[in-house]
Amino acid sequence: MEKPNSKHAGRWKLLLVLAVCAAPMLLSYLFYFVIKPEGRTNYGVILDPRSYPMPKLDAHLLGGESKELDAYKGKWILLQADSGECADACKKKMYDMRQLRLIQGKEMDRIERVWLITDNKPVDTVLIREYDGMRMLSVSQDKLKSWLPVDANTVISDHIYMIDPLGNLMMRFPKDADPNKVKKDIGKLLKASAIG
């Protein structure tokens, strides 16, 4: 004859086994429908390149020679746009872009740095020497406004942009971007990409 306590113990064991089996499914529904995980691991905003095809900018080098941005296709492009006066925020972006390229080590040759100069202000020759290797192109501010997207309450000159080796605008970094976080994004892109 079965003891009454063993009958209850058997039911509790059965319920415990059912709970353990059902828990993963219940938790997955909870996390998918109620506590939606962000899932984002990048710092910069990923842009849909179909929305921002690279336009013809009618750009030219500081010496006056015509040169389009697509001349640098085949490499990853760190891009900034600012006045030729290059105030402190501009210089900070220039410095960050140089360091971000250098810190990639043997991968640094896969990256070009481009400064789109948006006015006719003369560029200081000391600045040109200090940031040797920075590609400097004069462009129309209006052409950039219709191409480069910005965050709310910011302007184009607040951001650093990333263009892939095929010429697709694909990432925008926030105003006053943290170089360490940008470095991680660039490292991931270079590691994941076989091109450029």
Side-chain angles (χ1 to χ4, degrees):
M1 191 170 169
E2 222 180 296
K3 294 183 182 175
N5 286 344
S6 69
K7 193 174 186 181
H8 288 293
R11 284 188 185 149
W12 280 112
K13 285 179 185 175
L14 179 62
L15 289 173
L16 183 63
V17 168
L18 288 174
V20 167
C21 292
M25 187 175 70
L26 293 172
L27 287 172
S28 69
Y29 278 105
L30 176 71
F31 281 108
Y32 188 79
F33 292 107
V34 180
I35 310 169
K36 296 183 181 184
E38 183 83 14
R40 181 179 149 184
T41 60
N42 54 292
Y43 175 61
V45 174
I46 294 179
L47 304 169
D48 181 353
R50 294 171 299 181
S51 302
Y52 308 101
M54 186 186 291
K56 185 168 173 17
L57 295 172
D58 297 319
H60 57 274
L61 299 170
L62 295 182
E65 177 190 342
S66 289
K67 184 95 162 185
E68 285 298 320
L69 188 56
D70 65 4
Y72 305 111
K73 275 186 179 177
K75 292 196 176 192
W76 292 90
I77 299 172
L78 276 173
L79 179 81
Q80 76 151 341
D82 217 311
S83 165
E85 285 181 327
C86 199
D88 290 343
C90 169
K91 289 176 184 164
K92 167 85 167 66
K93 286 185 294 170
M94 299 263 281
Y95 175 80
D96 288 345
M97 288 166 64
R98 180 180 66 191
Q99 298 308 106
L100 287 164
R101 180 178 178 272
L102 288 172
I103 206 160
Q104 299 306 322
K106 63 181 181 178
E107 300 290 330
M108 74 181 202
D109 290 335
R110 297 173 66 190
I111 300 172
E112 282 288 355
R113 297 167 294 137
V114 177
W115 174 20
L116 299 178
I117 302 164
T118 57
D119 57 24
N120 293 322
K121 304 277 170 76
V123 178
D124 188 348
T125 53
V126 173
L127 193 67
I128 294 171
R129 282 197 299 269
E130 185 176 350
Y131 294 101
D132 186 40
M134 173 76 74
R135 309 300 181 179
M136 300 177 188
L137 302 174
S138 290
V139 297
S140 159
Q141 176 84 11
D142 294 333
K143 292 199 178 204
L144 294 183
K145 281 183 182 175
S146 62
W147 176 43
L148 298 174
V150 296
D151 281 334
N153 303 315
T154 65
V155 294
I156 290 169
S157 60
D158 290 331
H159 300 285
I160 293 174
Y161 297 87
M162 191 86 179
I163 298 172
D164 75 13
L166 301 175
N168 299 309
L169 179 64
M170 49 88 54
M171 191 171 272
R172 176 188 66 230
F173 296 103
K175 181 178 180 178
D176 302 321
D178 179 341
N180 289 317
K181 292 180 179 176
V182 174
K183 177 187 90 168
K184 288 179 185 172
D185 278 2
I186 293 172
K188 284 188 236 175
L189 287 170
L190 294 178
K191 188 175 182 181
S193 171
I195 57 173

PDB file of all heavy atoms in Angstrom, residues 75-76 100-101 104-111 162 165 183-196:
ATOM      1  N   LYS A  75      39.341  51.941 -50.326  1.00  0.00           N
ATOM      2  CA  LYS A  75      39.778  52.025 -48.936  1.00  0.00           C
ATOM      3  C   LYS A  75      38.605  52.495 -48.079  1.00  0.00           C
ATOM      4  O   LYS A  75      37.651  53.093 -48.574  1.00  0.00           O
ATOM      5  CB  LYS A  75      40.936  53.018 -48.796  1.00  0.00           C
ATOM      6  CG  LYS A  75      42.203  52.539 -49.473  1.00  0.00           C
ATOM      7  CD  LYS A  75      43.387  53.331 -49.000  1.00  0.00           C
ATOM      8  CE  LYS A  75      44.659  52.758 -49.626  1.00  0.00           C
ATOM      9  NZ  LYS A  75      45.856  53.285 -49.021  1.00  0.00           N
ATOM     10  N   TRP A  76      38.705  52.226 -46.793  1.00  0.00           N
ATOM     11  CA  TRP A  76      37.743  52.781 -45.848  1.00  0.00           C
ATOM     12  C   TRP A  76      38.081  54.253 -45.679  1.00  0.00           C
ATOM     13  O   TRP A  76      39.252  54.612 -45.581  1.00  0.00           O
ATOM     14  CB  TRP A  76      37.855  52.065 -44.502  1.00  0.00           C
ATOM     15  CG  TRP A  76      37.396  50.650 -44.569  1.00  0.00           C
ATOM     16  CD1 TRP A  76      38.152  49.547 -44.865  1.00  0.00           C
ATOM     17  CD2 TRP A  76      36.069  50.180 -44.370  1.00  0.00           C
ATOM     18  NE1 TRP A  76      37.380  48.427 -44.861  1.00  0.00           N
ATOM     19  CE2 TRP A  76      36.085  48.786 -44.553  1.00  0.00           C
ATOM     20  CE3 TRP A  76      34.868  50.804 -44.054  1.00  0.00           C
ATOM     21  CZ2 TRP A  76      34.944  48.000 -44.425  1.00  0.00           C
ATOM     22  CZ3 TRP A  76      33.733  50.019 -43.925  1.00  0.00           C
ATOM     23  CH2 TRP A  76      33.776  48.631 -44.112  1.00  0.00           C
ATOM     24  N   LEU A 100      43.056  57.317 -34.770  1.00  0.00           N
ATOM     25  CA  LEU A 100      42.246  56.140 -35.058  1.00  0.00           C
ATOM     26  C   LEU A 100      42.846  55.323 -36.197  1.00  0.00           C
ATOM     27  O   LEU A 100      42.795  54.088 -36.180  1.00  0.00           O
ATOM     28  CB  LEU A 100      40.809  56.554 -35.416  1.00  0.00           C
ATOM     29  CG  LEU A 100      39.969  57.029 -34.243  1.00  0.00           C
ATOM     30  CD1 LEU A 100      38.725  57.769 -34.724  1.00  0.00           C
ATOM     31  CD2 LEU A 100      39.586  55.865 -33.333  1.00  0.00           C
ATOM     32  N   ARG A 101      43.426  55.999 -37.155  1.00  0.00           N
ATOM     33  CA  ARG A 101      44.097  55.287 -38.253  1.00  0.00           C
ATOM     34  C   ARG A 101      45.372  54.628 -37.744  1.00  0.00           C
ATOM     35  O   ARG A 101      45.620  53.452 -38.003  1.00  0.00           O
ATOM     36  CB  ARG A 101      44.403  56.258 -39.391  1.00  0.00           C
ATOM     37  CG  ARG A 101      45.088  55.589 -40.568  1.00  0.00           C
ATOM     38  CD  ARG A 101      45.331  56.583 -41.708  1.00  0.00           C
ATOM     39  NE  ARG A 101      46.032  55.947 -42.795  1.00  0.00           N
ATOM     40  CZ  ARG A 101      47.352  55.859 -42.893  1.00  0.00           C
ATOM     41  NH1 ARG A 101      48.125  56.373 -41.946  1.00  0.00           N
ATOM     42  NH2 ARG A 101      47.917  55.257 -43.919  1.00  0.00           N
ATOM     43  N   GLN A 104      45.300  51.322 -35.687  1.00  0.00           N
ATOM     44  CA  GLN A 104      44.921  50.074 -36.359  1.00  0.00           C
ATOM     45  C   GLN A 104      46.143  49.234 -36.727  1.00  0.00           C
ATOM     46  O   GLN A 104      46.005  48.118 -37.225  1.00  0.00           O
ATOM     47  CB  GLN A 104      44.079  50.367 -37.605  1.00  0.00           C
ATOM     48  CG  GLN A 104      42.783  51.093 -37.337  1.00  0.00           C
ATOM     49  CD  GLN A 104      41.894  50.416 -36.321  1.00  0.00           C
ATOM     50  OE1 GLN A 104      41.797  49.192 -36.273  1.00  0.00           O
ATOM     51  NE2 GLN A 104      41.231  51.206 -35.486  1.00  0.00           N
ATOM     52  N   GLY A 105      47.351  49.785 -36.502  1.00  0.00           N
ATOM     53  CA  GLY A 105      48.580  49.020 -36.746  1.00  0.00           C
ATOM     54  C   GLY A 105      48.735  48.645 -38.204  1.00  0.00           C
ATOM     55  O   GLY A 105      48.639  49.486 -39.090  1.00  0.00           O
ATOM     56  N   LYS A 106      48.936  47.356 -38.463  1.00  0.00           N
ATOM     57  CA  LYS A 106      49.185  46.904 -39.841  1.00  0.00           C
ATOM     58  C   LYS A 106      47.969  47.095 -40.745  1.00  0.00           C
ATOM     59  O   LYS A 106      48.100  47.053 -41.968  1.00  0.00           O
ATOM     60  CB  LYS A 106      49.631  45.443 -39.847  1.00  0.00           C
ATOM     61  CG  LYS A 106      48.596  44.483 -39.333  1.00  0.00           C
ATOM     62  CD  LYS A 106      49.105  43.063 -39.330  1.00  0.00           C
ATOM     63  CE  LYS A 106      48.002  42.132 -38.825  1.00  0.00           C
ATOM     64  NZ  LYS A 106      48.386  40.751 -38.837  1.00  0.00           N
ATOM     65  N   GLU A 107      46.806  47.330 -40.154  1.00  0.00           N
ATOM     66  CA  GLU A 107      45.591  47.552 -40.944  1.00  0.00           C
ATOM     67  C   GLU A 107      45.414  49.018 -41.344  1.00  0.00           C
ATOM     68  O   GLU A 107      44.496  49.349 -42.084  1.00  0.00           O
ATOM     69  CB  GLU A 107      44.352  47.097 -40.145  1.00  0.00           C
ATOM     70  CG  GLU A 107      44.365  45.636 -39.754  1.00  0.00           C
ATOM     71  CD  GLU A 107      44.170  44.706 -40.941  1.00  0.00           C
ATOM     72  OE1 GLU A 107      43.492  45.101 -41.903  1.00  0.00           O
ATOM     73  OE2 GLU A 107      44.710  43.592 -40.902  1.00  0.00           O
ATOM     74  N   MET A 108      46.277  49.912 -40.851  1.00  0.00           N
ATOM     75  CA  MET A 108      46.051  51.348 -41.057  1.00  0.00           C
ATOM     76  C   MET A 108      46.083  51.765 -42.523  1.00  0.00           C
ATOM     77  O   MET A 108      45.438  52.737 -42.897  1.00  0.00           O
ATOM     78  CB  MET A 108      47.032  52.185 -40.242  1.00  0.00           C
ATOM     79  CG  MET A 108      48.427  52.225 -40.733  1.00  0.00           C
ATOM     80  SD  MET A 108      49.411  53.243 -39.600  1.00  0.00           S
ATOM     81  CE  MET A 108      50.747  53.678 -40.665  1.00  0.00           C
ATOM     82  N   ASP A 109      46.790  51.031 -43.357  1.00  0.00           N
ATOM     83  CA  ASP A 109      46.848  51.385 -44.777  1.00  0.00           C
ATOM     84  C   ASP A 109      45.526  51.148 -45.497  1.00  0.00           C
ATOM     85  O   ASP A 109      45.363  51.558 -46.645  1.00  0.00           O
ATOM     86  CB  ASP A 109      47.966  50.612 -45.475  1.00  0.00           C
ATOM     87  CG  ASP A 109      49.346  51.087 -45.033  1.00  0.00           C
ATOM     88  OD1 ASP A 109      49.458  52.259 -44.605  1.00  0.00           O
ATOM     89  OD2 ASP A 109      50.305  50.295 -45.102  1.00  0.00           O
ATOM     90  N   ARG A 110      44.588  50.512 -44.830  1.00  0.00           N
ATOM     91  CA  ARG A 110      43.268  50.296 -45.409  1.00  0.00           C
ATOM     92  C   ARG A 110      42.359  51.509 -45.211  1.00  0.00           C
ATOM     93  O   ARG A 110      41.239  51.531 -45.710  1.00  0.00           O
ATOM     94  CB  ARG A 110      42.617  49.066 -44.770  1.00  0.00           C
ATOM     95  CG  ARG A 110      43.363  47.772 -45.033  1.00  0.00           C
ATOM     96  CD  ARG A 110      42.783  46.612 -44.257  1.00  0.00           C
ATOM     97  NE  ARG A 110      41.438  46.294 -44.701  1.00  0.00           N
ATOM     98  CZ  ARG A 110      40.631  45.441 -44.058  1.00  0.00           C
ATOM     99  NH1 ARG A 110      41.035  44.847 -42.947  1.00  0.00           N
ATOM    100  NH2 ARG A 110      39.420  45.210 -44.513  1.00  0.00           N
ATOM    101  N   ILE A 111      42.846  52.524 -44.494  1.00  0.00           N
ATOM    102  CA  ILE A 111      42.020  53.684 -44.133  1.00  0.00           C
ATOM    103  C   ILE A 111      42.594  54.968 -44.735  1.00  0.00           C
ATOM    104  O   ILE A 111      43.793  55.220 -44.644  1.00  0.00           O
ATOM    105  CB  ILE A 111      41.944  53.835 -42.601  1.00  0.00           C
ATOM    106  CG1 ILE A 111      41.327  52.590 -41.961  1.00  0.00           C
ATOM    107  CG2 ILE A 111      41.158  55.083 -42.211  1.00  0.00           C
ATOM    108  CD1 ILE A 111      41.390  52.580 -40.443  1.00  0.00           C
ATOM    109  N   MET A 162      31.884  57.409 -41.875  1.00  0.00           N
ATOM    110  CA  MET A 162      32.673  56.297 -42.385  1.00  0.00           C
ATOM    111  C   MET A 162      32.075  55.865 -43.717  1.00  0.00           C
ATOM    112  O   MET A 162      30.861  55.671 -43.824  1.00  0.00           O
ATOM    113  CB  MET A 162      32.640  55.142 -41.380  1.00  0.00           C
ATOM    114  CG  MET A 162      33.610  54.045 -41.644  1.00  0.00           C
ATOM    115  SD  MET A 162      35.180  54.475 -40.885  1.00  0.00           S
ATOM    116  CE  MET A 162      36.128  53.043 -41.293  1.00  0.00           C
ATOM    117  N   PRO A 165      34.808  50.701 -48.668  1.00  0.00           N
ATOM    118  CA  PRO A 165      35.659  50.701 -49.864  1.00  0.00           C
ATOM    119  C   PRO A 165      34.901  50.718 -51.184  1.00  0.00           C
ATOM    120  O   PRO A 165      35.479  50.997 -52.231  1.00  0.00           O
ATOM    121  CB  PRO A 165      36.468  49.402 -49.717  1.00  0.00           C
ATOM    122  CG  PRO A 165      36.493  49.135 -48.255  1.00  0.00           C
ATOM    123  CD  PRO A 165      35.153  49.591 -47.758  1.00  0.00           C
ATOM    124  N   LYS A 183      37.119  53.508 -32.153  1.00  0.00           N
ATOM    125  CA  LYS A 183      38.187  52.542 -32.460  1.00  0.00           C
ATOM    126  C   LYS A 183      37.645  51.117 -32.513  1.00  0.00           C
ATOM    127  O   LYS A 183      37.975  50.340 -33.406  1.00  0.00           O
ATOM    128  CB  LYS A 183      39.292  52.647 -31.412  1.00  0.00           C
ATOM    129  CG  LYS A 183      40.416  51.644 -31.587  1.00  0.00           C
ATOM    130  CD  LYS A 183      41.366  51.687 -30.423  1.00  0.00           C
ATOM    131  CE  LYS A 183      40.870  50.697 -29.404  1.00  0.00           C
ATOM    132  NZ  LYS A 183      41.754  50.378 -28.331  1.00  0.00           N
ATOM    133  N   LYS A 184      36.774  50.781 -31.574  1.00  0.00           N
ATOM    134  CA  LYS A 184      36.198  49.431 -31.550  1.00  0.00           C
ATOM    135  C   LYS A 184      35.348  49.184 -32.793  1.00  0.00           C
ATOM    136  O   LYS A 184      35.406  48.108 -33.391  1.00  0.00           O
ATOM    137  CB  LYS A 184      35.358  49.235 -30.283  1.00  0.00           C
ATOM    138  CG  LYS A 184      36.203  49.112 -29.032  1.00  0.00           C
ATOM    139  CD  LYS A 184      35.335  48.955 -27.800  1.00  0.00           C
ATOM    140  CE  LYS A 184      36.208  48.957 -26.548  1.00  0.00           C
ATOM    141  NZ  LYS A 184      35.429  49.007 -25.318  1.00  0.00           N
ATOM    142  N   ASP A 185      34.544  50.186 -33.187  1.00  0.00           N
ATOM    143  CA  ASP A 185      33.726  50.033 -34.399  1.00  0.00           C
ATOM    144  C   ASP A 185      34.607  49.817 -35.623  1.00  0.00           C
ATOM    145  O   ASP A 185      34.347  48.937 -36.444  1.00  0.00           O
ATOM    146  CB  ASP A 185      32.844  51.273 -34.618  1.00  0.00           C
ATOM    147  CG  ASP A 185      31.568  51.248 -33.786  1.00  0.00           C
ATOM    148  OD1 ASP A 185      31.370  50.305 -33.014  1.00  0.00           O
ATOM    149  OD2 ASP A 185      30.776  52.197 -33.923  1.00  0.00           O
ATOM    150  N   ILE A 186      35.642  50.626 -35.750  1.00  0.00           N
ATOM    151  CA  ILE A 186      36.527  50.507 -36.912  1.00  0.00           C
ATOM    152  C   ILE A 186      37.227  49.152 -36.914  1.00  0.00           C
ATOM    153  O   ILE A 186      37.320  48.486 -37.952  1.00  0.00           O
ATOM    154  CB  ILE A 186      37.560  51.659 -36.941  1.00  0.00           C
ATOM    155  CG1 ILE A 186      36.845  52.988 -37.181  1.00  0.00           C
ATOM    156  CG2 ILE A 186      38.614  51.412 -38.015  1.00  0.00           C
ATOM    157  CD1 ILE A 186      37.731  54.209 -37.039  1.00  0.00           C
ATOM    158  N   GLY A 187      37.701  48.731 -35.750  1.00  0.00           N
ATOM    159  CA  GLY A 187      38.355  47.429 -35.651  1.00  0.00           C
ATOM    160  C   GLY A 187      37.436  46.301 -36.094  1.00  0.00           C
ATOM    161  O   GLY A 187      37.850  45.392 -36.818  1.00  0.00           O
ATOM    162  N   LYS A 188      36.157  46.366 -35.672  1.00  0.00           N
ATOM    163  CA  LYS A 188      35.188  45.331 -36.066  1.00  0.00           C
ATOM    164  C   LYS A 188      34.947  45.353 -37.575  1.00  0.00           C
ATOM    165  O   LYS A 188      34.868  44.303 -38.216  1.00  0.00           O
ATOM    166  CB  LYS A 188      33.858  45.548 -35.344  1.00  0.00           C
ATOM    167  CG  LYS A 188      33.874  45.116 -33.892  1.00  0.00           C
ATOM    168  CD  LYS A 188      32.470  45.197 -33.329  1.00  0.00           C
ATOM    169  CE  LYS A 188      32.451  46.070 -32.121  1.00  0.00           C
ATOM    170  NZ  LYS A 188      31.157  46.323 -31.558  1.00  0.00           N
ATOM    171  N   LEU A 189      34.835  46.562 -38.142  1.00  0.00           N
ATOM    172  CA  LEU A 189      34.606  46.667 -39.579  1.00  0.00           C
ATOM    173  C   LEU A 189      35.778  46.091 -40.372  1.00  0.00           C
ATOM    174  O   LEU A 189      35.582  45.329 -41.330  1.00  0.00           O
ATOM    175  CB  LEU A 189      34.402  48.139 -39.978  1.00  0.00           C
ATOM    176  CG  LEU A 189      33.079  48.770 -39.567  1.00  0.00           C
ATOM    177  CD1 LEU A 189      33.116  50.270 -39.806  1.00  0.00           C
ATOM    178  CD2 LEU A 189      31.917  48.134 -40.314  1.00  0.00           C
ATOM    179  N   LEU A 190      36.990  46.445 -39.987  1.00  0.00           N
ATOM    180  CA  LEU A 190      38.165  45.955 -40.706  1.00  0.00           C
ATOM    181  C   LEU A 190      38.301  44.445 -40.574  1.00  0.00           C
ATOM    182  O   LEU A 190      38.693  43.763 -41.527  1.00  0.00           O
ATOM    183  CB  LEU A 190      39.430  46.638 -40.191  1.00  0.00           C
ATOM    184  CG  LEU A 190      39.545  48.148 -40.456  1.00  0.00           C
ATOM    185  CD1 LEU A 190      40.818  48.707 -39.842  1.00  0.00           C
ATOM    186  CD2 LEU A 190      39.498  48.453 -41.933  1.00  0.00           C
ATOM    187  N   LYS A 191      37.981  43.921 -39.405  1.00  0.00           N
ATOM    188  CA  LYS A 191      38.090  42.485 -39.173  1.00  0.00           C
ATOM    189  C   LYS A 191      37.047  41.713 -39.991  1.00  0.00           C
ATOM    190  O   LYS A 191      37.320  40.650 -40.541  1.00  0.00           O
ATOM    191  CB  LYS A 191      37.906  42.184 -37.680  1.00  0.00           C
ATOM    192  CG  LYS A 191      38.180  40.753 -37.302  1.00  0.00           C
ATOM    193  CD  LYS A 191      38.104  40.574 -35.805  1.00  0.00           C
ATOM    194  CE  LYS A 191      38.423  39.137 -35.416  1.00  0.00           C
ATOM    195  NZ  LYS A 191      38.333  38.917 -33.983  1.00  0.00           N
ATOM    196  N   ALA A 192      35.835  42.273 -40.054  1.00  0.00           N
ATOM    197  CA  ALA A 192      34.737  41.578 -40.740  1.00  0.00           C
ATOM    198  C   ALA A 192      34.803  41.714 -42.257  1.00  0.00           C
ATOM    199  O   ALA A 192      34.217  40.912 -42.979  1.00  0.00           O
ATOM    200  CB  ALA A 192      33.402  42.119 -40.249  1.00  0.00           C
ATOM    201  N   SER A 193      35.534  42.703 -42.755  1.00  0.00           N
ATOM    202  CA  SER A 193      35.541  42.983 -44.187  1.00  0.00           C
ATOM    203  C   SER A 193      36.791  42.435 -44.865  1.00  0.00           C
ATOM    204  O   SER A 193      37.901  42.618 -44.394  1.00  0.00           O
ATOM    205  CB  SER A 193      35.474  44.493 -44.410  1.00  0.00           C
ATOM    206  OG  SER A 193      35.696  44.787 -45.767  1.00  0.00           O
ATOM    207  N   ALA A 194      36.561  41.802 -46.003  1.00  0.00           N
ATOM    208  CA  ALA A 194      37.691  41.310 -46.793  1.00  0.00           C
ATOM    209  C   ALA A 194      38.095  42.327 -47.851  1.00  0.00           C
ATOM    210  O   ALA A 194      39.104  42.159 -48.518  1.00  0.00           O
ATOM    211  CB  ALA A 194      37.298  39.991 -47.471  1.00  0.00           C
ATOM    212  N   ILE A 195      37.288  43.380 -48.010  1.00  0.00           N
ATOM    213  CA  ILE A 195      37.613  44.386 -49.023  1.00  0.00           C
ATOM    214  C   ILE A 195      38.263  45.598 -48.361  1.00  0.00           C
ATOM    215  O   ILE A 195      38.113  45.830 -47.177  1.00  0.00           O
ATOM    216  CB  ILE A 195      36.364  44.816 -49.822  1.00  0.00           C
ATOM    217  CG1 ILE A 195      35.264  45.355 -48.886  1.00  0.00           C
ATOM    218  CG2 ILE A 195      35.851  43.673 -50.653  1.00  0.00           C
ATOM    219  CD1 ILE A 195      34.090  45.938 -49.605  1.00  0.00           C
ATOM    220  N   GLY A 196      38.969  46.374 -49.155  1.00  0.00           N
ATOM    221  CA  GLY A 196      39.568  47.594 -48.662  1.00  0.00           C
ATOM    222  C   GLY A 196      40.862  47.396 -47.957  1.00  0.00           C
ATOM    223  O   GLY A 196      41.127  46.833 -47.000  1.00  0.00           O
TER     224      GLY A 196
END
